[in-house]
Amino acid sequence: MKTKRMIRVERVGRAFAFVSLFSIRWNLEFGRSASRFLCLALLTLFTSTLDAQRLSPLADKPEWTQLEDFQETMTREDFQRLLDTVYAPGDAARGLVDVAEDCAIVRSTLSPAAELRLRFARDAASAKAVPRFWKPAAALGPVPVGKPLAGVKIALDAGHIGGEWARMEERFFQIDDTLPVVEGDMTLRTAGHLARDLEALGASVSLVRKKDAPETDARPTDLRAVALEELARQGVAAPRETYDPAQIDDPGRAQTVQWQSEMLFYRISEIRRRARIVNDELKPDLVVCLHFNAEAWGGDPAHPQFVPRNHLHVLVNGCYSAGELRNDDVRFEMLVKLLSHSFSEELAASEHVAAALAQATKLPPYQYTTDNAVRVGESPYLWARNLLANRLYRAPTLFLEPYVMNNQEVWERVQAGDYEGEKRVAGVLRPSIYREYADAVAAGLRSYFAALRIK
């Protein structure tokens, strides 16, 4: 059965085919420049008439009627504070989500203009119950000492895919014939250790990904039409079909159909599929997204250079830009996160986990120098940032980024493998990097839930 999105992609593909054939004839008669201009103009006309919604790649139309369930569940003061300081700082939502005296005025579509109104609760005491599948920690009730996570449902999302897909994901490097550094494999190993730690504390744990293979059924070749659509939106009317993987400094690499199709596969289709698993199947009280960090290196990827920096940070959802919020689906998902009261849960849990990771790893906090993240809470390790995963996962979500994989010390710890106890690595007795990571996260979650639940 075809989804609305699949039908839309097919229509775009047919439009692109028509425009391409028309462009060939125009090119013969009037030249390449005129042909490209006409191709872009016609394709823009075709795609703009297909759908009144403005959507980000592979997104379904938002079901705005779902927001009716949030009527009178939040006070004006709480809504304004979260919008201004966490989700849309710097007036990023101005003209898209405006706060009136008794309601928020939300633009559901920009063209044609349409809006809905979200009524505020008069005060906290009269606020209605928030519709959500997850339970906040404070509502779970007391438990015996030793099982602070009893009754808590936790989903572990091992970042990236790994295995044969790691090179495509650009989450792979290898020095000579040493052990490859593959982030997707490393996060999956860490998730296995963390699952055991959390289950010992009483939690019910699910792995969003259990193997080094995609959860999505889509593959890059299935996404070619969408890739063409995205390139057209970027103004690339006659893109190259492929790129040379060895030429990483090729300025036109990201404007090829191959690169766009691959990016749509592993960065977007895969995460959207995981979101459906989290929201529709697992329905956890908390999601922990496990990642390892990396920094750019110059030159040939076959001969990577180590970087001196090594750091840690933890992300919660927030800091949407004005440009991102002009996409109807992004604006909708932001409002769902805000109205679900997800931030308070994410912040409190993140503070405990960040503290435990900092103590275990001794890593300094990462400092953003760009405007796509904003500091939240008291810890120097915590930031709010709008990522696809922490936006789409409707349970409170912690997005963890410890260790820089192309730092020499971290690389040596990866070369040492996974092991019990301690081993001398880089001149210091250390546990396995995977167990250190997992044990620290478990310690942070134990501290968080124990503070609220133990009798």
Side-chain angles (χ1 to χ4, degrees):
M1 181 177 181
K2 294 182 180 179
T3 66
K4 292 180 180 178
R5 178 66 184 178
M6 290 171 66
I7 293 170
R8 183 173 185 271
V9 167
E10 286 185 358
R11 292 167 69 191
V12 171
R14 289 196 297 269
F16 195 93
F18 171 82
V19 171
S20 297
L21 290 172
F22 196 90
S23 177
I24 291 171
R25 172 132 186 200
W26 190 273
N27 181 38
L28 291 173
E29 295 190 17
F30 298 100
R32 179 173 296 180
S33 297
S35 173
R36 288 186 175 181
F37 175 81
L38 177 66
C39 183
L40 178 59
L42 287 174
L43 187 57
T44 301
L45 176 63
F46 269 110
T47 56
S48 65
T49 59
L50 291 177
D51 203 330
Q53 295 276 351
R54 175 169 173 165
L55 303 175
S56 54
L58 299 180
D60 291 324
K61 290 183 181 180
E63 297 182 20
W64 290 101
T65 56
Q66 292 181 3
L67 296 188
E68 292 295 329
D69 295 336
F70 291 97
Q71 297 285 7
E72 300 174 27
T73 59
M74 181 176 284
T75 65
R76 180 186 188 278
E77 292 73 23
D78 283 347
F79 187 95
Q80 184 86 69
R81 173 180 55 82
L82 289 170
L83 187 68
D84 291 347
T85 64
V86 178
Y87 290 99
D91 282 337
R94 180 185 293 275
L96 301 169
V97 181
D98 294 320
V99 179
E101 186 62 33
D102 61 348
C103 68
I105 304 169
V106 178
R107 273 60 181 182
S108 53
T109 60
L110 303 184
S111 178
E115 67 179 38
L116 60 88
R117 295 180 177 239
L118 288 169
R119 299 185 302 277
F120 297 130
R122 291 191 306 274
D123 50 47
S126 64
K128 295 180 179 179
V130 179
R132 59 194 179 199
F133 59 73
W134 58 271
K135 300 180 293 296
L140 291 168
V143 292
V145 174
K147 296 289 183 180
L149 274 65
V152 182
K153 296 170 63 178
I154 298 178
L156 301 181
D157 182 23
H160 304 289
I161 303 172
E164 65 178 288
W165 309 95
R167 292 180 187 271
M168 179 188 295
E169 295 180 290
E170 299 179 352
R171 293 297 187 273
F172 173 101
F173 78 91
Q174 185 176 21
I175 298 176
D176 298 326
D177 59 351
T178 61
L179 188 69
V181 177
V182 182
E183 184 178 0
D185 296 354
M186 294 164 63
T187 58
L188 193 58
R189 183 179 294 275
T190 303
H193 289 305
L194 180 55
R196 289 187 286 273
D197 287 350
L198 296 177
E199 287 168 348
L201 296 172
S204 173
V205 181
S206 301
L207 298 182
V208 180
R209 172 174 71 93
K210 299 182 177 67
K211 55 187 183 301
D212 58 352
E215 292 297 325
T216 179
D217 292 331
R219 293 297 182 266
T221 53
D222 302 322
L223 300 169
R224 186 175 184 277
V226 187
L228 290 168
E229 180 184 359
E230 292 305 310
L231 288 166
R233 287 181 181 179
Q234 298 169 24
V236 184
R240 284 164 40 199
E241 189 66 31
T242 61
Y243 65 87
D244 182 353
Q247 296 183 357
I248 61 169
D249 57 348
D250 177 3
R253 176 187 178 97
Q255 295 182 345
T256 64
V257 178
Q258 178 187 350
W259 191 92
Q260 284 288 329
S261 299
E262 291 172 349
M263 184 274 295
L264 287 165
F265 155 66
Y266 68 78
R267 191 180 297 175
I268 298 179
S269 179
E270 175 67 11
I271 300 304
R272 290 191 180 280
R273 171 57 187 150
R274 294 190 196 189
R276 288 190 287 274
I277 293 172
V278 169
N279 299 334
D280 300 337
E281 300 175 22
L282 302 181
K283 298 184 178 181
D285 301 312
L286 184 71
V287 182
V288 180
C289 296
L290 300 167
H291 287 257
F292 288 80
N293 214 333
E295 293 211 359
W297 58 72
D300 185 349
H303 300 89
Q305 300 174 358
F306 291 123
V307 297
R309 295 167 297 281
N310 194 14
H311 41 66
L312 155 71
H313 69 289
V314 177
L315 295 165
V316 300
N317 185 246
C319 198
Y320 292 67
S321 71
E324 291 169 336
L325 289 173
R326 290 189 67 81
N327 286 322
D328 298 339
D329 59 298
V330 175
R331 193 162 63 256
F332 172 80
E333 294 294 348
M334 181 199 73
L335 287 165
V336 171
K337 293 291 284 191
L338 187 158
L339 292 165
S340 297
H341 296 258
S342 185
F343 173 71
S344 58
E345 199 81 7
E346 291 177 348
L347 180 64
S350 292
E351 286 177 334
H352 284 262
V353 171
L357 277 167
Q359 181 177 9
T361 64
K362 306 298 188 293
L363 292 174
Y366 175 73
Q367 299 292 327
Y368 277 90
T369 58
T370 54
D371 60 1
N372 63 335
V374 63
R375 286 279 298 275
V376 290
E378 300 298 323
S379 171
Y381 293 92
L382 298 188
W383 297 82
R385 184 178 172 188
N386 173 33
L387 302 172
L388 187 60
N390 69 6
R391 180 173 85 240
L392 293 183
Y393 298 172
R394 294 197 174 181
T397 301
L398 282 56
F399 200 100
L400 312 181
E401 289 277 10
Y403 311 107
V404 173
M405 292 180 290
N406 52 327
N407 170 274
Q408 184 168 357
E409 182 180 299
V410 175
W411 176 80
E412 290 186 23
R413 296 187 70 181
V414 173
Q415 298 307 301
D418 193 10
Y419 50 87
E420 295 183 1
E422 294 184 330
K423 182 185 292 188
R424 190 168 296 277
V425 182
V428 180
L429 281 174
R430 298 178 182 276
S432 145
I433 193 170
Y434 310 105
R435 297 176 193 234
E436 178 180 88
Y437 189 172
D439 291 350
V441 175
L445 292 177
R446 178 189 181 113
S447 170
Y448 170 60
F449 284 99
L452 297 171
R453 305 189 64 205
I454 291 181
K455 293 178 182 177

